[in-house]
Amino acid sequence: MTIKVLLADDHKIFRDGLRTLIEQEEGMEVMGEAENGRITLKMAQKMMPSIIIMDVTMPDMNGLEATRKITAELPGVKVIALSMHSDRWFVLGMLEAGASGYVLKDCAFGELTRAIRQSPPGMLT
C-alpha cells in the first residue's frame, strides 16, 4: 500500500527538499504541496491523502487551525506536525487539534519517515 503524502509548509525550498527525500522512500508518494493552511484544507478535501505533513506556523490559516478542520472533516486523513517550535504550547495545541504526531524540523529524516509509517490510514483514530 502506498502512503500518499500532502506537504504543507510556507517555504518552497523546504517542500522541494522534503518531496525529494520522501519520494525516495519505498511505499511513499507526494501527491501535492500547499503553502498555507487554507490551500492545505482544500487540497485535502479534494485529494484525500493518507498523511499531511503540516507546518505549524503558516500564513492565511496556520497549521493548528488547518489541522483542527481537517481532522474534524476528514477523519481518515492523518496529520503529522513538522515544526521548528519545540515549545509545549505548540506541541499540545497540535495534538489537541488532532495531529497524530509532532516532529521537530531539526530531526533526522529517518525520524520523520518512522512517524509517517507509524501513522498509516485507518490505524490511528
Side-chain angles (χ1 to χ4, degrees):
M1 173 176 75
T2 300
I3 300 171
K4 297 183 180 201
V5 180
L6 175 60
L7 302 176
D9 195 288
D10 55 329
H11 296 98
K12 180 161 178 26
I13 195 166
F14 185 79
R15 292 192 317 267
D16 289 348
L18 205 50
R19 173 187 281 274
T20 299
L21 290 169
I22 288 172
E23 289 187 339
Q24 292 176 9
E25 288 292 309
E26 186 174 329
M28 291 186 198
E29 171 191 345
V30 176
M31 60 187 317
E33 299 177 21
E35 64 267 10
N36 64 55
R38 195 165 315 282
I39 293 170
T40 304
L41 176 59
K42 288 179 184 175
M43 289 179 77
Q45 291 166 332
K46 183 180 275 189
M47 303 169 118
M48 294 299 293
S50 309
I51 294 186
I52 300 171
I53 305 301
M54 181 81 73
D55 188 13
V56 176
T57 53
M58 294 184 289
D60 201 14
M61 178 190 291
N62 65 40
L64 183 70
E65 185 60 27
T67 297
R68 187 175 290 117
K69 289 178 185 267
I70 288 166
T71 58
E73 293 178 25
L74 308 168
V77 177
K78 304 304 174 201
V79 175
I80 296 175
L82 182 60
S83 177
M84 65 179 189
H85 300 289
S86 60
D87 185 89
R88 178 183 164 116
W89 184 88
F90 288 103
V91 177
L92 290 177
M94 285 298 286
L95 295 175
E96 288 171 359
S100 298
Y102 195 102
V103 180
L104 294 175
K105 284 185 176 179
D106 65 356
C107 74
F109 180 66
E111 291 179 51
L112 178 61
T113 59
R114 276 191 297 281
I116 292 170
R117 292 189 191 283
Q118 289 176 0
S119 301
M123 296 299 289
L124 297 173
T125 57

